Structures are given as C-alpha cells and as structure tokens.
C-alpha cells in the first residue's frame, strides 16, 4: 500500500499563513491567533515550532530573502556576459513588479513598523548585506574603473525602481531602471577604456 501524502506540516502551514498575512497586512497588524486560525493548527503547534512571534517573523523574512535570492541568482545564471548579468537582475525585477501579488519589498515594509533590535531590523540588514554583495560581485566582474561606486549606483537604481513601483504601481519603472543601469555601466566601461 502506498504511503499517503500527509500534506504540509504544521510548521509549513504556519509559515505559509504568516507569509501571506504579514506580507498583505503588516507584521504588527497581524496577531498570532490570526496566523494559527489561517494555518488551521492548534496553538501549541506554534510554540512547538517557534519560540514566539519574533521567531516566526524571522523565519518569514528568511523565507522572503531565500526566494528573492533564488530568483535573482537564477536570472543571473542564465547569461554569461558580465554586463548581461547586471541587466538580468533588472529584467527579473521587472518580472517581480508585474506579478499581481507583489505589494512592495517585504523588507522595507517590515522596517517601516520595526522596533530597534527586532528580528525585522536584523533580517533586513542581512538581506541588504546580500544585495550589496550581489551588486558588488556583479560590478567587480565588469571592466570598470571603480567597481564599488558602480555597485552602489546600481543598487540605488534598483531601490529606486522598487520604491517607485510601490508608490506609483507602474511596473514600467523596471525598464527605466534597466536603461539607467545600462548607461551607468557603459559610461564606466568607456572611462576604463580611456584611462
């Protein structure tokens, strides 16, 4: 007799409920009881799997970080040229912004309601560190005069596109960001060739 599929574990159901509710409504707006109800688990399941709401918030943000990192790294892996790798990040951002469920950056939303030293602050700092590292790695692969400065500029353009979308709701901002990234790269490559 074949083993029956048990479905998601209580931990997985709690994380899925937290991911949906925290992202849609805000971390501090959503109480533990709503998450437990949406997950369809007993209250004890929450405390068996997590140390409390802060631990659940941390896991929610770690999941968001992992998914975005996988998306961007996956997009980068599809091309070989260093310039195309940078532009692939902006192309993937365009896909993210066109997703009907996208409501803005989970980390900037979490930080907007965070207390100093909270899980939101710590995990957002970790995510930002990863983004800085990503753009640093991509800029270092280019033949440019000042890779650290280019990486900072590219990240500002990336951030601007995300915030522009969050404020205006127009996914075309990713195309503008991509064009600006191209200009920044090309100007730095030309400067490098002329030295």
């Amino acid at each position: 007799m074949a083993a029956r599929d048990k479905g998601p574990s209580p931990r997985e159901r709690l994380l899925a409920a937290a991911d949906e509710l925290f992202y849609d409504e805000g971390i501090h707006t959503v109480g533990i009881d709503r998450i437990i109800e949406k997950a369809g688990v007993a209250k004890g399941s929450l405390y068996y799997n997590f140390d409390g709401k802060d631990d659940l918030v941390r896991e929610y943000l770690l999941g968001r970080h992992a998914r975005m990192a996988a998306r961007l790294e996956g997009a980068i892996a599809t091309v070989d040229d260093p310039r195309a790798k940078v532009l692939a990040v902006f192309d993937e951002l365009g896909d993210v912004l066109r997703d009907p469920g996208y409501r803005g950056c989970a980390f900037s939303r979490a930080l907007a309601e965070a207390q100093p030293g909270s899980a939101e602050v710590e995990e957002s700092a970790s995510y930002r560190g990863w983004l800085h590292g990503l753009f640093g790695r991509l800029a270092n692969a280019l033949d440019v005069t000042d890779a650290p400065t280019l990486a900072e500029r590219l990240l500002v353009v990336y951030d601007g596109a995300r915030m522009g979308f969050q404020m205006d709701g127009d996914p075309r901002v990713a195309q503008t960001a991509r064009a600006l990234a191209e200009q920044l790269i090309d100007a730095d490559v030309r400067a490098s060739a002329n030295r």
Side-chain angles (χ1 to χ4, degrees):
M1 187 165 152
R4 292 174 69 186
D5 181 17
K6 296 180 189 178
S9 70
R11 177 183 174 80
E12 292 167 331
R13 293 197 322 256
L14 285 162
L15 281 171
D19 187 74
E20 181 181 330
L21 292 171
F22 288 161
Y23 187 66
D24 288 347
E25 299 177 27
I27 291 169
H28 293 281
T29 304
V30 176
I32 290 295
D33 291 337
R34 292 246 348 263
I35 295 167
I36 291 168
E37 180 183 338
K38 181 153 190 71
V41 300
K43 193 168 199 164
S45 293
L46 175 78
Y47 296 103
Y48 177 78
N49 288 286
F50 303 97
D51 291 336
K53 187 174 179 181
D54 284 346
D55 192 27
L56 185 58
V57 168
R58 184 177 309 284
E59 292 297 321
Y60 153 68
L61 291 171
L62 284 169
R64 287 280 169 166
H65 180 156
R67 289 192 301 275
M68 184 55 87
R71 280 189 84 154
L72 295 181
E73 293 289 358
I76 291 166
T78 64
V79 292
D80 294 323
D81 176 64
R83 182 178 184 275
K85 286 182 180 293
V86 175
L87 300 178
V89 170
F90 289 93
D91 291 337
E92 189 63 27
L93 177 61
D95 290 345
V96 169
L97 299 185
R98 284 188 295 278
D99 183 325
Y102 184 72
R103 297 175 48 105
C105 173
F107 296 93
S108 63
R109 292 173 57 134
L111 276 177
E113 54 180 321
Q115 296 296 316
S118 66
E120 296 98 305
V121 171
E122 291 172 10
E123 294 311 320
S124 294
S126 174
Y127 177 71
R128 287 301 289 177
W130 175 80
L131 268 178
H132 280 278
L134 173 71
F135 280 105
R137 176 171 44 102
L138 294 172
N140 281 330
L142 295 164
D143 184 20
V144 295
T145 55
D146 187 357
T149 299
L150 177 60
E152 287 176 27
R153 290 174 178 166
L154 291 169
L155 183 56
V156 167
V157 171
Y158 180 85
D159 287 341
R162 287 184 313 140
M163 185 53 67
F165 174 80
Q166 200 163 333
M167 297 297 291
D168 301 330
D170 187 350
R172 292 178 300 174
V173 71
Q175 294 169 310
T176 302
R178 186 187 195 280
L180 288 170
E182 283 185 289
Q183 291 174 4
L184 288 169
I185 294 166
D186 293 347
D188 213 334
V189 167
R190 279 194 304 274
S192 177
N194 292 332
R195 46 179 181 163

